[in-house]
Amino acid sequence: MNIFAAIEQTPLSIWMRDDEYAYFLALIFHALGMALLIGGGIAVSLCMLGVARGVEINKLGGFFRVMVVGAVLAGLSGLLLLAGYPAKALTNPVFAVKFACLIGATLLMRAAARRLMRTDARGEPPPRGGRAMAALALLLWLAGVAAGKLLLHTATVLTVT
Amino acid sequence: MSPDPFFDPQAIAQWARDVGIYGMMNTRWGWPIAEIVHFFGLCLLFGAVGMFDLRMLGVARGVTMRHLHRLIPFGLAGFALSVASGFCFVVSAPSQYLYNPALQSKLGLVGLAGVNMVVFYATTSRAVTATAADALPPPRARVFAAVSLVCWLGAIVCGRVITAYRPPYHWCFWC
């Protein structure tokens, strides 16, 4: 708890809590970043599942870049939100679930994309494992959304000071 | 009698109680589950429509728009989820939502996105789906894509701000 108290006393943390606009602006950028990250993730996962027949997996790189922009935006704004109320997030196990889902989805999608891009480049049919990974990634994106929305309703501590 | 000539928040709330929506939303997990469905719908919508818009603007060149368009039904399903859950929010607390400038702006942007989509399909979609994988669609298609992206991202921003504008503690230039 001491570490939370120390963070809460920093000028950044105080500004995030006391300023009229800071927290809401961070929330807005977090929502936009998550929409780009998860929206892109859902689109790429669906393409890898073969829903958009005819889309070449090799050509989806541009959407990965959109996801990276979303991840950076969500990450930076998330850090600001965390600075404002560190105990609120870090004492809530759902926060760990959200992180695990999003990191798991990202890693799975990367692995699935590598597999599918290899076979796609050779003109071979997509491997089963690649599609299963894409399906699991899709589920993890959705679980990440659910965990993120549950944060507000499951937090038991707001601040420790 | 409500002073509002268009809406009667008390009658709407009573209707929500009568049909069970209010009761469902006010269970322990009713509101959080509706929030999850709402944002999940938005992500699905943005994943399909937003990525198609970005492709029209030149992102991910090489992806054929005719093929990418097959994701659009998922976007429509996402929109339906968001509308259904959003409806539950509004009828469960009508006086909090109906006079909220953030919600009014959000609905305005969604309406504009809808008009933009109808005009796009009526005038430009054929030219877009006929565009080669590595090419850019006609300039007017890119205008439709930019308007669509701005509307949907704006709707996300307004949705996020709704809780900051709880009546009667708000200001906006038309309030």
Side-chain angles (χ1 to χ4, degrees), chain B:
Chain B
M1 186 73 181
S2 167
D4 186 331
F6 300 106
F7 299 109
D8 183 347
Q10 285 181 340
I12 293 171
Q14 188 56 51
W15 175 82
R17 281 193 184 86
D18 293 343
V19 298
I21 294 176
Y22 181 89
M24 180 187 75
M25 290 295 284
N26 283 285
T27 55
R28 171 75 180 95
W29 294 106
W31 210 275
I33 288 172
E35 282 183 356
I36 290 170
V37 171
H38 197 70
F39 197 70
F40 169 47
L42 263 177
C43 286
L44 213 49
L45 173 72
F46 196 73
V49 177
M51 295 306 130
F52 191 75
D53 290 337
L54 284 171
R55 171 62 193 91
M56 283 202 280
L57 288 171
V59 174
R61 276 202 215 188
V63 174
T64 320
M65 280 173 275
R66 185 166 56 89
H67 296 143
L68 193 63
H69 192 265
R70 291 178 176 144
L71 291 184
I72 296 298
F74 288 86
L76 292 175
F79 182 68
L81 287 177
S82 290
V83 168
S85 48
F87 180 77
C88 291
F89 293 136
V90 173
V91 298
S92 297
S95 52
Q96 286 290 312
Y97 281 100
L98 291 174
Y99 306 108
N100 190 317
L103 180 80
Q104 292 165 354
S105 307
K106 179 177 178 174
L107 293 179
L109 287 166
V110 171
L112 184 60
V115 171
N116 183 63
M117 187 194 71
V118 169
V119 180
F120 167 73
Y121 278 105
T123 62
T124 311
S125 71
R126 281 189 188 171
V128 168
T129 47
T131 305
D134 285 313
L136 271 176
R140 67 175 188 274
R142 279 175 270 157
V143 174
F144 281 117
V147 170
S148 172
L149 265 182
V150 167
C151 285
W152 291 120
L153 290 174
I156 291 173
V157 169
C158 290
R160 194 64 262 197
V161 178
I162 283 173
T163 49
Y165 273 103
R166 283 188 195 282
Y169 309 106
H170 62 72
W171 174 89
C172 73
F173 65 86
W174 67 88
C175 297

Side-chain angles (χ1 to χ4, degrees), chain A residues 104-123:
Chain A
T106 306
L107 294 177
L108 263 173
M109 238 180 67
R110 237 181 93 180
R114 277 187 183 164
R115 274 185 174 210
L116 291 165
M117 280 176 180
R118 251 200 316 266
T119 52
D120 200 37
R122 289 194 218 118

Side-chain angles (χ1 to χ4, degrees), chain A residues 32-52:
Chain A
L32 289 175
M34 292 296 271
L36 289 175
L37 172 65
I38 296 181
I42 288 174
V44 172
S45 300
L46 287 172
C47 288
M48 290 196 295
L49 278 170
V51 168

